[in-house]
Amino acid sequence: MPGKNMTLFYSPASPFARKVIVLLQETRQLPTVELFDVQLSPVTPSGEVIARNPSGKIPALELANGDTLHDSRVILDYLDHQHSGEPLIPREGPKRWQRLALASLADALLDAAILIRYETFLRPPELHWPTWLDAQQEKIERVLTELETQADTGQLQRFDIASISIACALGYLDFRQPQLGWRERFPRLASWYAEISQRESMLSTQPPA
Ligand code: 99T
């Protein structure tokens, strides 16, 4: 078993970090990474993270040579080059751009959900802006509509970069918006998600209760 030669700055609540840990598990690289749990928000940043990533965001991956990679998409791409199994991000051709674009769509859902979370949880109630919150929620609904089509046309069969990103995005929706009821409106996506949620990599990375 290789030693731990990288450190991942993460939080169990972060869906972006979850994507990284899921990929590490799926590619059997988890034993090479030390997990460093940090509590942060945009208004309560972590000095440990800022020292490595000026944006103050997680995930951030410190490599053996002291360099730090940040933004989950960059980290995922790096880690997918560090194992010898079938790549989870296609290396070339139209498939590469299709799968990365679909993964980005899942990230766009996450960006909207996190903006809603910060607006409702961090901002004083008298400063909330309902029109803006509704606009973010509509983004989520539009992305879910497209993901339902993707599930329906068999595009999510392989648990690759796109499927991992979608699974972690849906997990975050359940975590932060448990009342949303998306399963009734998007039944094929729901049934796909129920199945892939049973994977060990998904079970062991569930957000905190
Ligand atoms: O914005 C900040 O200063 C702190 N927020 C983060 O670090 C969030 C944690 S999810 N991470 C990102 O926004 C990363 C986005 C980046 N494009 C990527 O890595 O892909 C926390 C969610 C929660 O607590 O509900």
Side-chain angles (χ1 to χ4, degrees):
M1 187 66 69
K4 294 186 189 297
N5 54 20
M6 297 180 269
T7 303
L8 181 69
F9 293 81
Y10 87 112
S11 140
S14 167
F16 297 104
R18 186 181 190 188
K19 288 190 297 175
V20 173
I21 300 174
V22 168
L23 182 135
L24 284 167
Q25 287 206 28
E26 294 285 339
T27 59
R28 300 174 192 281
Q29 297 182 81
L30 196 55
T32 66
V33 178
E34 185 85 46
L35 297 179
F36 192 101
D37 189 343
V38 281
Q39 302 299 318
L40 52 67
S41 81
V43 291
T44 52
S46 151
E48 298 271 12
V49 173
I50 285 178
R52 293 164 176 86
N53 173 9
S55 82
K57 295 189 182 190
I58 51 169
L61 182 69
E62 190 173 71
L63 307 180
N65 68 2
D67 288 351
T68 300
L69 302 179
H70 41 81
D71 196 285
S72 59
R73 284 178 264 197
V74 175
I75 297 172
L76 291 167
D77 202 356
Y78 173 81
L79 290 172
D80 200 39
H81 281 79
Q82 309 306 311
H83 68 99
S84 53
E86 184 70 16
L88 296 184
I89 305 174
R91 291 282 195 267
E92 56 191 11
K95 202 84 191 152
R96 174 171 173 83
W97 313 117
Q98 287 160 5
R99 299 314 280 176
L100 284 175
L102 189 50
S104 291
L105 195 61
D107 284 358
L109 184 156
L110 279 180
D111 287 337
I114 285 171
L115 287 175
I116 291 171
R117 165 72 180 167
Y118 287 156
E119 172 81 1
T120 52
F121 181 70
L122 295 178
R123 258 188 147 202
E126 66 275 16
L127 296 179
H128 287 182
W129 184 8
T131 309
W132 191 86
L133 283 171
D134 289 349
Q136 297 304 327
Q137 201 66 51
E138 281 163 22
K139 278 184 201 287
I140 292 175
E141 207 65 16
R142 290 197 300 268
V143 173
L144 288 172
T145 302
E146 171 59 23
L147 296 182
E148 175 76 354
T149 303
Q150 295 287 330
D152 197 23
T153 52
Q155 301 302 311
L156 307 186
Q157 273 161 9
R158 182 155 185 253
F159 201 56
D160 68 351
I161 186 69
S163 297
I164 290 173
S165 302
I166 294 166
C168 292
L170 295 174
Y172 187 73
L173 266 192
D174 282 347
F175 176 48
R176 291 301 191 205
Q177 299 193 14
Q179 78 298 343
L180 186 61
W182 61 270
R183 286 173 175 77
E184 289 91 73
R185 295 193 300 289
F186 307 105
R188 288 176 190 85
L189 188 60
S191 114
W192 171 80
Y193 181 61
E195 196 178 311
I196 57 94
S197 294
Q198 295 311 308
R199 294 181 80 94
E200 184 50 38
S201 62
M202 291 296 293
L203 287 170
S204 62
T205 55
Q206 290 179 53

